Amino acid sequence: HCFANDEPSSFLLCMQRAAKVTGQYWHDEEGTKLCVHPKFGTWKAFRAVVVFHTNNKANDTNDSIIPEAPPLCPCPLSEEEIQKARESMEYALKVSGYSNGYAASRGSSGTDDLCQYLHNSVSSGSDWSKVSPSMRPWIQLRDCISVGREEYKYCDNQILYHYTKDVDILKRELNLDR
């Protein structure tokens, strides 16, 4: 989950890494790139990182006080579940036209293209029959993690909106509350 604004001085922020350094999430950096919370599993969304600038007047030096990082979250998954998720990731990449060596062969643009595809694509998907076959494996990737699935899995409309960005889903949900 990378974000950059349109300003030339902007930077990319890897939301998974930001979550990992809080010590609250395990991040599979090698295979699936999923961030897994020990309670909520993959059923969470990262939306913002807030950075505060402070003027610490605690001492007269210009040394800043940097707090010690919390311990990293241990992996909450079994090896079998990690392997299953990695196989799902490989399949999602293949179906989407991004083979295993895609990012490596294309440099960072391969990763950027995949990020654009997953996070900036808008498609019709107001019901499951309209979801692109190349997007379905990405939904299945998140769903193959058992931690949190029974209690915290998003409802169908939230999953559909998350992966399609189809505004008709939001409109339909707003009309349900009236």
Side-chain angles (χ1 to χ4, degrees):
H1 294 44
C2 299
F3 171 79
N5 62 28
D6 293 332
E7 299 296 319
S9 62
S10 72
F11 60 93
L12 292 177
L13 174 67
C14 179
M15 298 297 278
Q16 290 95 335
R17 286 193 187 124
K20 176 185 173 180
V21 299
T22 68
Q24 300 298 307
Y25 293 87
W26 174 75
H27 182 209
D28 181 6
E29 295 178 53
E30 295 176 20
T32 64
K33 310 302 184 213
L34 289 174
C35 240
V36 182
H37 187 273
K39 180 177 180 180
F40 304 111
T42 57
W43 302 105
K44 79 291 178 261
F46 304 125
R47 297 291 178 242
V49 171
V50 180
V51 179
F52 296 96
H53 176 76
T54 63
N55 289 323
N56 186 347
K57 303 291 183 187
N59 57 31
D60 292 337
T61 68
N62 287 334
D63 296 338
S64 64
I65 299 172
I66 300 173
E68 197 170 309
L72 296 178
C73 180
C75 177
L77 308 175
S78 68
E79 281 300 319
E80 296 80 24
E81 194 164 28
I82 293 169
Q83 185 57 40
K84 180 180 173 188
R86 289 179 179 170
E87 289 168 6
S88 291
M89 175 71 165
E90 291 296 322
Y91 180 70
L93 287 167
K94 181 180 174 184
V95 169
S96 302
Y98 296 89
S99 65
N100 210 6
Y102 183 81
S105 68
R106 301 257 325 249
S108 65
S109 67
T111 304
D112 293 346
D113 289 348
L114 182 58
C115 194
Q116 284 287 334
Y117 171 70
L118 290 175
H119 302 293
N120 296 327
S121 296
V122 177
S123 61
S124 176
S126 54
D127 67 56
W128 286 107
S129 67
K130 296 180 182 177
V131 174
S132 161
S134 64
M135 189 56 74
R136 289 180 188 174
W138 295 104
I139 298 168
Q140 292 164 346
L141 171 62
R142 178 180 266 200
D143 199 33
C144 77
I145 302 297
S146 64
V147 176
R149 184 176 45 211
E150 291 301 314
E151 295 175 276
Y152 302 105
K153 182 178 177 178
Y154 300 160
C155 69
D156 278 356
N157 285 336
Q158 188 174 359
I159 293 171
L160 286 169
Y161 179 74
H162 183 82
Y163 286 94
T164 65
K165 281 73 164 177
D166 185 340
V167 295
D168 288 339
I169 297 167
L170 296 179
K171 290 175 185 175
R172 187 175 65 231
E173 287 296 306
L174 287 172
N175 287 329
L176 289 176
D177 288 340
R178 291 185 182 175

